[in-house]
Structure formats: structure tokens, C-alpha cells
Amino acid sequence: MNMHFFLFSLLFSLPICLASYSWPNPYAKQIAAVRRRSGLSHHEYLEYHTLIHGAKAWNAPNDNNKPLAYIQDHIFDSEFGINSSNSVTPPYSGRDDITELYSKTESSFLSPPLSNYTEVVIGPDGINFNDLASAFSMFAIETFEANITLNPSCVPTTREPVTAFYWLMASHPTSNSSTFDNTTFAQPIMAAILSNLPPNTVYNASTHISIPDVDSRAYYGGYGLPTVNAILKFWLYDAKQAVIGFRNAQKEIEKLELGVDLEKSFVVFAREVIIWDLVANITFDIGRLEGSLDNPVVGKAFKGECVSPRGNTH
């Protein structure tokens, strides 16, 4: 079984209890930051990825290799290249969404597919929407933060949750090697962001660290891109003041000596759209997902109840 086909099988492998974000998942997860191919507008890309590719993925055989849940985070804002001395935009700038796939069991991550559906249907469909050479991806273990202070009077957005993803590249000379400790690198960055956030900005956060010796680029592409050392995910109370508060906190921690390659790292803000979630009995539904595509990012439904742009605690 060649590596390319094996990674096709890994597309259908990865889990979390999406009914609650209050505990970490012990199984591996697949996450990718994708940019649309040429010839598509942002909306056309989301329409294809959500409705057409989503349907093809949903129609896969319902075996142990089918994802327990499939999430797309539709990006509405982003920031690439933080070093103000360099005005050149990174060639990989611009993302349209984030793909998150969750496995059913530990064995489904490693087992080969029982059919060739992924190889002949889902995998080849990527070229219809994905700029394959620019895709960032990772097979990762996601660990959730246990010390986020919640305000019971705060109400998150009532439609798709607003998320922030901080894709971190380290500046250390060995950051591209197996000897580099990605967890040790990521932990102080997460702590610094949380300590600098305004009150009531986030209600959950997690850290993604790659699984050693599993390279997702054979499936997604992106061999010429910088190595991603960690991905931090945050659930925000809204898409307005919480985004401002997060960006301010990000700028503060980037003044610290935390080993972040500021020219390569980037942050994106998105709406979390459930393609399906078998835990919560949410199936693939064209009508529901068409409504998600029409959801205005900065509309009234995205305003939280108690987010403040100022403060230094989370």
C-alpha cells in the first residue's frame, strides 16, 4: 500500500465530542488550512467545498474510517506576515477555510479503508477547489485548555461559533526536525495569549500538536511550505469586539521572545460550520448548509452579550 493511498485512507479517520468542548479527545485529528484554486471566487469556493465536496464525503461508506464529525471553518478575516520591516506578502497568504476531521476510534486512524471510495471519489475532487501547492495541514492531537474563566452571563453567538486559528511556525534552527519539542514551544504562547485577552473574549481554546512521522502533505499538498509547529484554536464570543481583543493580545505577545517566526506565522478568523456531527445526530443537509453560506459574518447574530475590548485577563 503506497503512502499516497494510505493518506487517502487517513482522510476518513479522525474525533471529538462536538456536543461539548469541555474535554480533550484522545484520538488524532486532521486539520488543514486551504486556499481556493484559480478561477473561483471566495463564495464559489465555499459553495463547492461545502455542498458538493461535502456531499461526496457524506456519501462515503459508513464504516469505521468515515469521520465522526466534519467541520469547515469559513474564514472571514486573516493576517499574514507580522514583521513590519518586511512589506512583502508571503506567497502562501490568503486562506478560504479550515478543514477539521475527527476519527471514530483509535484504530480507524491507522486502518486502511475497506473500499476505494476515497481514492476514486473524494481525493481526486480536491483539484476542483483546492490550490494544492498552498495547503497547510497536520495530523494532530488536540488538547483543550482547562483554566479558562467563563462568565455565566456571557452568551456566545447564536449561530455558527466564531473561531480564531493561530498557525505557528517556530524561528529556532531545529524547528523543522524531529528533535524540536513542539509542545514546549506552544504552551507558553497559549498561556501568553490567554493572559493578555480582554475579559470574556474566549470561552474555549485548544492546542494542536502534530503526530510524529505522519506527513499529511502527501494528501493535501504543500511540500514547499514552512513547517507548522503548532496550531492554536480559540472559540470567540463574537466576530466584532472579541476579534479586536484577540488581535490586540496577539500583538502584545509577539513583542515577547517566544520563538515565533513572525514572518511565517499567521492567524485566521472564521465561522465554524458543521458539515456533519454523528455524535450530535447532525447529518449532511443541503438546506441547513445553504443557510450557512448565506450567514452574514458581521451581522447582528454575531454580536456577543458581554465582550469588552479592554482588560488584561481572559
Side-chain angles (χ1 to χ4, degrees):
M1 185 178 187
N2 62 45
M3 186 63 168
H4 189 60
F5 180 66
F6 175 65
L7 285 169
F8 274 136
S9 74
L10 288 178
L11 175 66
F12 288 108
S13 55
L14 314 150
I16 193 173
C17 180
L18 293 177
S20 172
Y21 294 107
S22 61
W23 60 83
N25 189 313
Y27 306 129
K29 170 184 180 179
Q30 187 173 171
I31 183 170
V34 181
R35 182 171 72 184
R36 66 185 184 270
R37 67 161 177 80
S38 60
L40 293 178
S41 70
H42 176 66
H43 182 78
E44 289 167 344
Y45 166 88
L46 292 181
E47 189 173 56
Y48 189 98
H49 196 199
T50 303
L51 304 180
I52 298 177
H53 188 75
K56 291 180 179 181
W58 173 250
N59 289 329
N62 191 23
D63 56 28
N64 198 43
N65 289 308
K66 187 172 183 175
L68 182 68
Y70 177 8
I71 305 296
Q72 291 178 8
D73 299 89
H74 294 176
I75 294 171
F76 61 85
D77 203 358
S78 61
E79 183 260 352
F80 290 80
I82 302 156
N83 189 344
S84 60
S85 66
N86 184 1
S87 61
V88 179
T89 302
Y92 52 82
S93 64
R95 302 285 109 181
D96 289 276
D97 70 1
I98 305 291
T99 290
E100 300 180 87
L101 300 172
Y102 304 89
S103 60
K104 290 179 178 177
T105 67
E106 185 176 11
S107 63
S108 65
F109 180 77
L110 299 174
S111 61
L114 299 178
S115 75
N116 65 349
Y117 185 87
T118 301
E119 184 181 20
V120 301
V121 177
I122 300 174
D125 190 45
I127 198 172
N128 293 319
F129 60 91
N130 183 4
D131 178 10
L132 296 172
S134 72
F136 284 97
S137 61
M138 180 187 290
F139 287 103
I141 297 297
E142 183 177 25
T143 303
F144 286 82
E145 292 296 311
N147 298 316
I148 295 180
T149 302
L150 299 179
N151 185 335
S153 65
C154 286
V155 180
T157 55
T158 56
R159 302 178 75 173
E160 291 91 349
V162 177
T163 54
F165 292 83
Y166 197 0
W167 290 69
L168 290 165
M169 287 73 157
S171 59
H172 195 276
T174 66
S175 63
N176 196 26
S177 71
S178 59
T179 61
F180 186 79
D181 191 329
N182 291 317
T183 301
T184 301
F185 164 67
Q187 285 176 339
I189 299 171
M190 171 64 84
I193 290 179
L194 292 177
S195 66
N196 279 278
L197 283 174
N200 310 317
T201 299
V202 306
Y203 59 93
N204 203 6
S206 66
T207 300
H208 299 77
I209 300 297
S210 62
I211 299 171
D213 302 321
V214 180
D215 191 344
S216 58
R217 293 176 298 180
Y219 180 82
Y220 279 104
Y223 276 108
L225 299 178
T227 298
V228 181
N229 296 99
I231 306 165
L232 310 184
K233 181 178 181 180
F234 303 84
W235 284 260
L236 309 182
Y237 274 102
D238 67 13
K240 294 183 179 180
Q241 295 297 345
V243 171
I244 295 172
F246 183 90
R247 286 286 289 137
N248 289 338
Q250 180 195 350
K251 292 173 184 177
E252 287 300 314
I253 70 103
E254 285 162 358
K255 298 175 183 177
L256 307 175
E257 296 295 330
L258 296 175
V260 179
D261 190 325
L262 300 182
E263 293 189 3
K264 296 177 181 177
S265 301
F266 61 92
V267 63
V268 299
F269 300 95
R271 292 184 298 109
E272 186 179 86
V273 176
I274 297 175
I275 306 303
W276 72 76
D277 174 6
L278 300 181
V279 174
N281 294 318
I282 299 174
T283 62
F284 179 86
D285 181 85
I286 288 288
R288 174 178 61 82
L289 292 170
E290 285 178 338
S292 294
L293 293 174
D294 293 334
N295 193 349
V297 169
V298 294
K300 183 177 180 181
F302 280 81
K303 181 173 176 57
E305 294 298 325
C306 58
V307 178
S308 168
R310 292 180 292 277
N312 57 10
T313 60
H314 62 280

